[in-house]
């Protein structure tokens, strides 16, 4: 009888330890976020932006992350703010802010949008940063690609000013 009690105690302890171990999906997300930080990106958990149509339908907001490439320095830079969103991978990108962008910046933005991963739901330009909101369904190559695209967009913004 005491052997059975000892086996049950051991199983309970082992089970408790296994519950603390992160799942494979959690480990993958952690690795993606660490790589993003190594590449100079700021990673934040957030509520994903929604298109006007989705907000009007009052669909529930999804959780995701935003990977941002921060830009500091030139304080004389002309302020450009823009956010483009899409409801899903099949829908078109919609300019949520209605901002008019200079032609060179708009061309670069269009190029970037075509190359974003399918699970990217928004691209944001603010005076301090460029960012991609996405659901993290990619791999390390996707993170590297996002970093490259954010860098290209940042260069277009710097060249414009």
């Amino acid at each position: 009888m005491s052997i059975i009690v000892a086996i049950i105690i051991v199983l309970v302890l082992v089970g408790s330890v296994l519950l603390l171990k992160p799942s494979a999906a959690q480990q993958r997300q952690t690795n993606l976020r660490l790589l993003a930080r190594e590449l100079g990106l700021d990673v934040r958990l957030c509520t994903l932006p929604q298109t006007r149509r989705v907000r009007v339908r009052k669909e529930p907001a999804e959780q995701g992350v935003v990977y941002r490439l921060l830009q500091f320095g030139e304080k004389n830079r002309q302020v450009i703010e823009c956010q483009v969103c899409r409801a899903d991978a099949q829908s078109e990108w919609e300019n949520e802010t209605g901002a008019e962008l200079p032609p060179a910046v708009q061309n670069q933005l269009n190029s970037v949008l075509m190359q974003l991963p399918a699970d990217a739901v928004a691209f944001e330009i603010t005076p301090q940063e460029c960012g991609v909101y996405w659901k993290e369904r990619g791999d390390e190559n996707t993170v590297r690609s996002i970093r490259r695209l954010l860098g290209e967009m940042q260069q277009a913004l710097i060249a414009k000013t």
Side-chain angles (χ1 to χ4, degrees), residues 109-128:
L109 178 61
N110 292 341
S111 173
V112 166
L113 295 178
M114 290 177 15
Q115 298 176 60
L116 286 176
D119 63 332
V121 297
F123 190 90
E124 179 178 61
I125 301 170
T126 70
Q128 295 81 30

Side-chain angles (χ1 to χ4, degrees), residues 87-108:
D88 54 51
Q90 290 76 36
S91 61
E92 295 292 318
W93 290 96
E94 298 176 12
N95 188 334
E96 291 298 303
T97 52
E100 290 289 326
L101 299 175
V105 173
Q106 185 64 54
N107 289 340
Q108 184 63 44

Side-chain angles (χ1 to χ4, degrees), residues 4-63:
I4 294 174
V5 170
I7 291 173
I8 291 173
I9 291 173
V10 168
L11 289 175
V12 167
L13 290 174
V14 170
S16 298
V17 169
L18 290 177
L19 285 175
L20 296 175
K21 183 181 176 201
S23 69
Q26 290 170 327
Q27 290 175 351
R28 184 188 67 76
Q29 282 182 332
T30 300
N31 291 337
L32 290 179
R33 293 171 187 172
L34 288 173
L35 174 62
R37 287 189 178 106
E38 287 173 14
L39 295 173
L41 297 175
D42 179 52
V43 179
R44 304 283 172 155
L45 299 175
C46 66
T47 300
L48 296 174
Q50 297 177 318
T51 60
R52 285 185 198 101
R53 179 177 43 131
V54 172
R55 287 192 307 265
V56 167
R57 291 181 182 174
K58 298 188 182 190
E59 294 180 19
E62 291 184 71
Q63 296 299 306

